[in-house]
Amino acid sequence: MAFVAGAVVVRSSAASAFVSKAPVAVARRPVRSTMTMKVAAPSSEVLGLGKSIPSGLYLLLSVVSLGLGCWSCAQSNIFSPLTAETVNPQFVVGSLLVPISWGCHVASWIQKQNGK
């Protein structure tokens, strides 16, 4: 079976006599951007102990941890093949900074939206 604009068409020599050769009209919908946020940022209380840290510090931590994490990933994966003998624990731990940088980025956005 093949998918042709919402219609199921069976491709075989016996069934080819029963398949319509007419073009199928396709309705196209306009693409809407879903990257807008229309809700307010949560309060700084969701950050727990980090509720009093300013957004600039979170931003700095985010940039530094992203840089170090990407550098660690590049050192461990690009320049040497990753085998059991070549695994460097420092680079493995350093690569964990990449998702931490995303968390710091979100925390910075929360604090900036709350005026801190």
Side-chain angles (χ1 to χ4, degrees):
M1 291 190 177
F3 183 75
V4 179
V8 175
V9 178
V10 177
R11 300 282 185 197
S12 70
S13 60
S16 63
F18 303 107
V19 176
S20 172
K21 304 286 187 208
V24 178
V26 178
R28 298 205 183 257
R29 294 185 302 179
V31 178
R32 290 183 286 170
S33 175
T34 58
M35 296 301 293
T36 58
M37 187 166 205
K38 296 181 181 178
V39 295
S43 69
S44 295
E45 298 296 319
V46 298
L47 299 175
L49 294 174
K51 64 185 174 186
S52 61
I53 297 175
S55 66
L57 183 58
Y58 274 128
L59 181 63
L60 179 67
L61 288 173
S62 175
V63 170
V64 168
S65 60
L66 180 64
L68 288 174
C70 288
W71 180 80
S72 295
C73 289
Q75 291 294 318
S76 66
N77 294 330
I78 294 175
F79 299 119
S80 63
L82 204 55
T83 63
E85 292 82 26
T86 62
V87 171
N88 190 343
Q90 295 169 343
F91 293 146
V92 173
V93 171
S95 67
L96 296 175
L97 291 172
V98 174
I100 290 173
S101 72
W102 177 80
C104 290
H105 164 74
V106 172
S108 174
W109 178 81
I110 291 172
Q111 291 292 71
K112 183 173 180 172
Q113 295 298 318
N114 290 321
K116 294 184 179 181

